[in-house]
Amino acid sequence: MSDIALRARITGRVQGVAFRAWTRSEAKQRGLSGWVRNDSDGSVLALLMGPASDVAAMVRALSQGPPAARVTDVMTENVEPDPEFTGFQIIR
C-alpha cells in the first residue's frame, strides 16, 4: 500500500486540553510521520504521512480526540508528502 499525506484542521475545544501531545502519541503508535501545532484561530493543524489505512485510522481518532477535548470538525486535504519529517513532532 502506498503512503499518502493529509493536512488536517481540527476545530472545537482542542487547545489547552493536551491535544498536541495526544496526537503525537497516537501518530507514533500508528507509525506515522508529520507534525501537529496549534493555529492562531483556536484550531489544531496536523500533517499526517504514512500508509493510507493508518492515516485514515488517525483521522478517525482525531474526530474523538483526548478525553478533555470536544472536537466539532476534522477537515482534511491531500497534500504532497514532506520528506523533511521522518518522525512525528509537535511544532510550537
Side-chain angles (χ1 to χ4, degrees):
M1 184 173 288
S2 63
D3 283 3
I4 65 165
L6 286 182
R7 184 169 28 242
R9 178 180 298 276
I10 305 97
T11 57
R13 191 173 82 207
V14 294
Q15 290 190 13
V17 293
F19 205 99
R20 291 175 300 163
W22 174 87
T23 299
R24 179 178 57 188
S25 174
E26 292 287 316
K28 284 183 172 185
Q29 286 179 26
R30 290 172 171 80
L32 301 179
S33 56
W35 51 259
V36 61
R37 70 175 170 87
N38 286 340
D39 202 13
S40 58
D41 66 0
S43 66
V44 169
L45 294 176
L47 173 66
L48 308 169
M49 298 183 293
S53 60
D54 295 325
V55 171
M58 184 67 199
V59 170
R60 288 191 298 275
L62 288 172
S63 70
Q64 297 299 308
R70 294 294 173 264
V71 176
T72 56
D73 197 17
V74 178
M75 296 157 281
T76 61
E77 64 177 322
N78 292 310
V79 295
E80 287 298 314
D82 186 343
E84 176 184 338
F85 293 95
T86 55
F88 202 91
Q89 304 173 25
I90 294 175
I91 298 178
R92 304 210 180 272

